[in-house]
């Protein structure tokens, strides 16, 4: 804390201490500690229902933690001021179908306190929707709606980005472009946490966080995780860390990891 | 045609219902509740005594009639009771204005000379004029009073009673005001409430289930900003709606016959006695309350269908108890208490005061109604903002 104030030690971009979230009997997030450094891209990987979305909602202060705390850029969440520095792209599209592409963007830009037109045009270019600025969001294809959703998240130049399955339904060529842009943002100091349930984009991240049943079961670069598991396949590495073999069967004498 | 496909569709509907206990409950419970409420209102609405103020302008002969009537109606055997008398029409109208009496009967100064000359005297009956249906009922009850009058009017020794002629006057509006004039304030109040509630309820529900609310909450926006923004946005549409409706109700444009289309008029041409702006303010306060009630209740709905299901809960009781169909004062006591917890009751009372009686801001009733409506609006704004949590689980 004092370090943060004196500025002598770097403040973590994202920090979680003993975070827990329980929905009745379900432990959606079951004691997670994290410290993410500025300017890096983190992949939050785990199967459906492993608690990725819930973890992001706890980190952004959208859900109240059952226990533990979350800090963004040194500020304890929930904090409205800190939200101005955060970009959150939810898993659902969360855009207004009756508004046009441009109207959606300028609405979210205004809420973030950025009413500047050039920012809107810049993100529209990035997601290749400049030609559809006046089109109602209703008329966009599924992939276009996700691109618009991403644009709404980027319009205010956030310092910390939470992207929940951002490339679902986006075609491969545009994915490459997205990742090029994420990389550029990271180089400029933005911290990015990308949640995904598929491993195929994992190697584009600087570091991977494997989650299962609300717990972190592995962390490191793709190469490290593969080497530790003695495999060249990330999925196998994940299964091994889960205590399962390559076919998803329990490994002998290794039921401790769950 | 395939029977099994038809059955599959029917089965799917039944399965959907099984998971939606609320809809099922509403389907069976709401009609019962509404019917019971309606039955209660109809059965136990107080049959109010018609209170008569006698106006005697005819001196001693008139006083004889007043005394006879007063004695004959003690305890209101026929639902009519003389409660006071004065000697001027203006004083009587003032009494009616103050709600001290429902009807005034004026005995004319010309009574003695009319009776002597053998002509039928003309009695003037004054009603408030704001409720034609209630006035008509009161007239029915006056029959017995008229019989007593006729008997008293006959000069000593005359065989046939003298039947007086009746002239009508009203305190507010005119004697030939129709139901439309009287219902105009109610239209204004009801639509201002109903549509705004439905629109906000559904559009806020869409924010909740569509994920845009969660996204909004991921920006530095505060709950108060969301609620006020909604109030302003929907309030703007409510304003336009109310302005259109007010203009339509108060004006009438004659359209001449064109070819085969006969002449007709657009608008109701109702005369508002009071300030249309004051009426507008009342309707606007009501609809700001409705916006926020919509936001609040959207928390308890998971689908658009469930918002529609709030209609029988939110709209129907107010329609029954708010003074739309039955005067609030005559409701059974328990329902009267409930009526005074409903915003529409105050809005309709205020709108009627302003539009029918020409009340302005100096009127106690209008002041109370404005204050209560503003209070209810603030209450719903606060209630609505408590339902917008950063935790949107
Ligand atoms: N609002 C909620 N109410 C109850 N259970 C929830 C809620 N949100 C998530 N869960 C449960 O928490 C677990 C983790 O869900 P989630 O965080 O959405 O996983 P992921 O994003 O990794 O697919 C799941 O079992 C899910 O059913
Ligand atoms: Mg998820």
């Amino acid at each position: 804390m004092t370090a943060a104030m004196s500025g002598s030690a770097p403040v973590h971009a994202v920090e979680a201490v003993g975070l827990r979230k329980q929905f009745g009997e379900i432990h959606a997030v079951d004691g997670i500690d994290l410290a993410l450094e500025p300017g890096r891209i983190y992949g939050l990987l785990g199967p459906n229902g492993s608690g990725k979305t819930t973890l992001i909602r706890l980190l952004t202060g959208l859900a109240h933690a059952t226990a533990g705390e979350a800090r963004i850029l040194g500020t304890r969440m929930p904090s409205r001021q800190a939200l101005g520095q955060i970009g959150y792209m939810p898993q659902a599209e969360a855009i207004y179908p009756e508004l046009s592409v441009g109207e959606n963007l300028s609405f979210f830009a205004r809420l973030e306190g950025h009413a500047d037109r050039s920012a809107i045009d810049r993100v529209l270019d990035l997601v290749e929707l400049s030609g559809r600025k006046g089109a109602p969001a209703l008329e966009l294809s599924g992939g276009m709606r996700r691109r618009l959703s991403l644009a709404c998240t980027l319009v205010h130049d956030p310092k910390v980005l939470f992207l929940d399955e951002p490339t679902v339904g986006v075609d491969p060529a545009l994915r490459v472009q997205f990742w090029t842009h994420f990389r550029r943002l990271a180089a400029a100091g933005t911290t990015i946490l990308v949640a995904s349930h598929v491993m195929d984009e994992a190697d584009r991240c600087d570091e991977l966080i494997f989650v299962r049943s609300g717990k972190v079961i592995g962390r490191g670069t793709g190469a490290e995780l593969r080497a530790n598991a003695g495999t060249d396949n990330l999925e196998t590495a994940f299964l091994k860390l889960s205590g399962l073999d390559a076919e998803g069967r329990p490994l002998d004498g290794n039921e401790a990891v769950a | 045609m395939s029977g099994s496909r038809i059955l599959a569709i029917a089965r799917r509907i039944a399965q959907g219902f099984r998971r939606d206990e609320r809809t099922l409950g509403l389907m069976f419970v709401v009609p019962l509740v509404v019917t019971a409420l309606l039955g209660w209102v109809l059965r136990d609405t107080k049959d109010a005594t018609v209170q008569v103020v006698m106006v005697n302008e005819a001196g001693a002969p008139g006083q004889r009639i007043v005394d006879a009537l007063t004695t004959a109606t003690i305890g209101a055997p026929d639902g009519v009771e003389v409660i006071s008398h004065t000697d001027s029409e203006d004083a009587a109208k003032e009494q009616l204005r103050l709600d001290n009496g429902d009807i005034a009967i004026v005995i004319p100064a010309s009574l003695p000379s009319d009776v002597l000359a053998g002509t039928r005297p003309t009695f003037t009956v004054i009603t408030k004029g704001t409720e034609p249906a209630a006035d008509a009922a009161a007239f029915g009850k006056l029959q017995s009073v008229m019989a007593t009058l006729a008997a008293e009017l006959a000069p000593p020794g005359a065989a046939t009673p003298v039947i007086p002629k009746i002239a009508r006057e009203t305190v507010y509006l005119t004697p030939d005001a129709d139901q439309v004039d009287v219902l105009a304030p109610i239209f204004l109040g009801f639509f201002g409430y109903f549509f705004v509630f439905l629109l906000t309820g559904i559009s806020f529900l869409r924010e909740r289930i569509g994920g845009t609310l969660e996204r909004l909450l991921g920006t530095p926006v505060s709950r108060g900003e969301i609620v006020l923004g909604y109030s302003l946005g929907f309030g703007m549409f409510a304003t336009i709606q109310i302005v259109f409706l007010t203009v339509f109700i108060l004006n009438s444009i004659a359209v001449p016959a064109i070819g085969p289309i006969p002449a007709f008029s657009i608008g109701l041409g109702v005369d508002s006695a009071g300030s249309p702006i004051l009426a507008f303010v009342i309707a606007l306060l009501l609809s700001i309350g409705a916006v926020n009630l919509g936001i609040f209740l959207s928390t308890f709905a998971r689908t658009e269908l469930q918002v529609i299901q709030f209609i029988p809960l939110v709209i129907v009781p107010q329609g029954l108890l708010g003074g739309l169909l039955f005067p609030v004062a005559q409701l059974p006591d328990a329902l009267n208490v409930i009526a005074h917890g409903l915003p529409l009751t105050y809005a309709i009372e205020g709108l009627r005061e302003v539009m029918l009686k020409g009340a302005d801001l100096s009127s106690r009733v209008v002041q109370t109604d404005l204050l209560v409506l503003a209070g209810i609006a603030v209450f719903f704004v606060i209630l609505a903002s408590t339902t917008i949590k950063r935790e949107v689980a």
Side-chain angles (χ1 to χ4, degrees):
Chain A
M1 263 175 271
T2 42
M5 279 175 224
S6 66
S8 59
V11 177
H12 294 299
V14 177
E15 206 180 347
V17 183
L19 264 190
R20 278 173 203 284
K21 178 70 179 180
Q22 226 170 310
F23 295 107
E25 291 292 289
I26 300 171
H27 296 261
V29 169
D30 199 9
I32 286 187
D33 296 279
L34 278 182
L36 309 187
E37 304 308 325
R40 287 171 69 85
I41 302 179
Y42 294 85
L44 183 64
L45 299 175
N48 281 316
S50 54
K52 305 181 295 294
T53 299
T54 306
L55 176 60
I56 291 180
R57 296 182 66 230
L58 289 173
L59 293 173
T60 49
L62 284 166
H64 290 290
T66 310
E69 62 177 75
R71 290 170 184 280
I72 303 284
L73 301 169
T75 308
R76 171 135 191 211
M77 301 303 286
S79 149
R80 285 209 289 125
Q81 281 88 321
L83 283 173
Q85 314 263 23
I86 297 176
Y88 168 40
M89 177 181 173
Q91 196 169 354
E93 262 128 40
I95 49 179
Y96 294 94
E98 63 276 18
L99 299 189
S100 73
V101 169
E103 287 162 347
N104 266 293
L105 277 168
S106 71
F107 173 67
F108 286 107
R110 274 171 217 276
L111 286 189
E112 298 283 3
H114 277 240
D116 126 47
R117 295 183 68 98
S118 63
I120 292 177
D121 290 335
R122 184 169 43 74
V123 289
L124 270 179
D125 261 352
L126 165 74
V127 299
E128 294 191 340
L129 282 175
S130 301
R132 308 297 296 265
K133 195 172 177 182
L138 195 66
E139 290 174 7
L140 301 182
S141 72
M144 288 174 173
R145 284 203 295 271
R146 287 209 71 71
R147 277 141 65 188
L148 173 56
S149 183
L150 176 66
C152 291
T153 307
L154 298 176
V155 73
H156 61 292
D157 275 331
K159 286 272 144 295
V160 180
L161 261 180
F162 295 99
L163 307 174
D164 202 349
E165 319 237 358
T167 54
V168 174
V170 175
D171 57 78
L174 199 60
R175 269 185 202 211
V176 172
Q177 233 172 300
F178 273 17
W179 279 102
T180 312
H181 187 72
F182 295 161
R183 185 50 65 195
R184 212 179 302 140
L185 289 173
T190 308
T191 309
I192 305 179
L193 183 68
V194 184
S196 175
H197 67 277
V198 289
M199 301 286 174
D200 53 1
E201 290 168 323
D203 280 318
R204 298 180 181 277
C205 303
D206 297 314
E207 198 173 330
L208 302 178
I209 302 158
F210 281 176
V211 287
R212 191 183 147 83
S213 305
K215 290 192 170 75
V216 175
I217 56 167
R219 208 182 142 167
T221 63
E224 285 165 1
L225 287 163
R226 273 184 275 252
N228 287 350
T231 168
D232 53 5
N233 184 323
L234 265 182
E235 250 149 276
T236 313
F238 185 91
L239 289 171
K240 202 156 181 200
L241 284 164
S242 309
L244 303 170
D245 70 14
E247 269 75 48
R249 287 183 298 256
L251 290 174
D252 290 338
N254 194 5
E255 60 276 272
V257 203
Chain B
M1 276 285 167
S2 145
S4 74
R5 283 197 289 261
I6 295 174
L7 280 180
I9 292 173
R11 199 182 136 99
R12 189 233 98 201
I13 291 170
Q15 285 168 334
F17 265 121
R18 204 183 49 205
R19 300 240 159 64
D20 192 355
E21 292 108 349
R22 165 113 60 92
T23 303
L24 267 188
L26 282 173
M27 259 182 95
F28 299 112
V29 174
V30 165
L32 289 184
V33 170
V34 172
T35 310
L37 198 59
L38 185 61
W40 191 0
V41 171
L42 288 175
R43 284 239 171 89
D44 291 354
T45 286
K46 292 173 198 150
D47 196 9
T49 305
V50 178
Q51 300 185 316
V52 179
V53 178
M54 293 302 297
V55 182
N56 177 22
E57 294 178 338
Q63 194 55 43
R64 205 164 46 91
I65 299 175
V66 172
D67 292 343
L69 273 179
T70 309
T71 323
T73 61
I74 285 175
D78 300 300
V80 180
E81 186 166 23
V82 174
I83 57 158
S84 66
H85 43 87
T86 87
D87 53 11
S88 90
E89 203 175 305
D90 288 342
K93 282 187 173 170
E94 186 55 27
Q95 290 302 311
L96 294 190
R97 231 172 247 131
L98 294 172
D99 250 341
N100 298 327
D102 304 307
I103 276 190
I105 300 176
V106 185
I107 302 170
S110 63
L111 178 74
S113 56
D114 284 341
V115 173
L116 278 182
T119 54
R120 293 169 64 190
T122 300
F123 283 33
T124 306
V125 175
I126 307 169
T127 58
K128 284 177 202 158
T130 50
E131 279 172 56
D135 288 356
F139 263 94
K141 290 185 181 166
L142 277 182
Q143 292 309 318
S144 62
V145 175
M146 288 303 159
T148 316
L149 263 179
E152 288 297 327
L153 279 173
T160 48
V162 178
I163 312 287
K165 287 191 269 190
I166 300 293
R168 282 202 55 192
E169 268 187 40
T170 54
V171 178
Y172 307 111
L173 301 173
T174 60
D176 47 58
D178 58 12
Q179 209 61 27
V180 171
D181 295 281
V182 175
L183 286 177
I186 292 174
F187 294 154
L188 211 50
F190 196 66
F191 285 117
Y193 198 76
F194 186 77
F195 278 118
V196 169
F197 166 75
L198 264 193
L199 280 179
T200 338
I202 289 179
S203 71
F204 211 80
L205 176 83
R206 283 168 57 191
E207 299 257 18
R208 286 187 199 276
I209 59 183
T212 45
L213 181 61
E214 167 129 330
R215 181 162 218 159
L216 288 189
L217 294 175
T219 73
V221 77
S222 75
R223 310 192 287 196
E225 286 163 352
I226 295 179
V227 168
L228 291 179
Y230 253 76
S231 300
L232 192 65
F234 279 100
M236 216 154 62
F237 277 93
T239 303
I240 297 170
Q241 183 198 37
I242 295 167
V243 166
F244 264 97
L245 201 56
T246 312
V247 168
F248 183 82
I249 287 173
L250 297 184
N251 296 279
S252 179
I253 301 165
V255 179
I258 310 162
I261 308 161
F264 62 99
S265 63
I266 298 174
L268 299 181
V270 169
D271 285 317
S272 171
S275 146
I277 296 183
L278 192 52
F280 167 76
V281 171
I282 294 176
L284 191 64
L285 278 178
L286 180 71
S287 56
I288 290 176
V291 167
N292 289 284
L293 180 66
I295 294 180
F296 171 67
L297 285 182
S298 73
T299 326
F300 305 103
R302 299 215 171 276
T303 63
E304 272 102 338
L305 208 61
Q306 289 187 339
V307 176
I308 311 268
Q309 287 166 7
F310 284 124
I311 293 175
L313 292 177
V314 174
I315 311 281
V316 174
Q318 303 217 65
L320 280 178
L321 304 180
L324 266 75
L325 304 173
F326 312 100
V328 176
Q330 290 174 24
L331 290 174
D333 292 332
L335 295 183
N336 195 310
V337 172
I338 297 177
H340 281 92
L342 306 175
L344 205 57
T345 307
Y346 296 93
I348 286 182
E349 182 185 56
L351 286 168
R352 289 173 63 102
E353 288 294 314
V354 171
M355 294 176 69
L356 302 182
K357 302 186 179 174
D360 55 25
L361 272 180
S362 65
S363 147
R364 245 319 133 65
V365 178
V366 174
Q367 288 169 4
T368 314
D369 291 338
L370 283 172
L371 272 180
V372 172
L373 285 171
I376 290 176
V378 170
F379 172 73
F380 282 145
V381 166
I382 293 170
L383 199 63
S385 58
T386 60
T387 67
I388 304 173
K389 300 200 194 87
R390 281 238 134 64
E391 170 137 38
V392 207

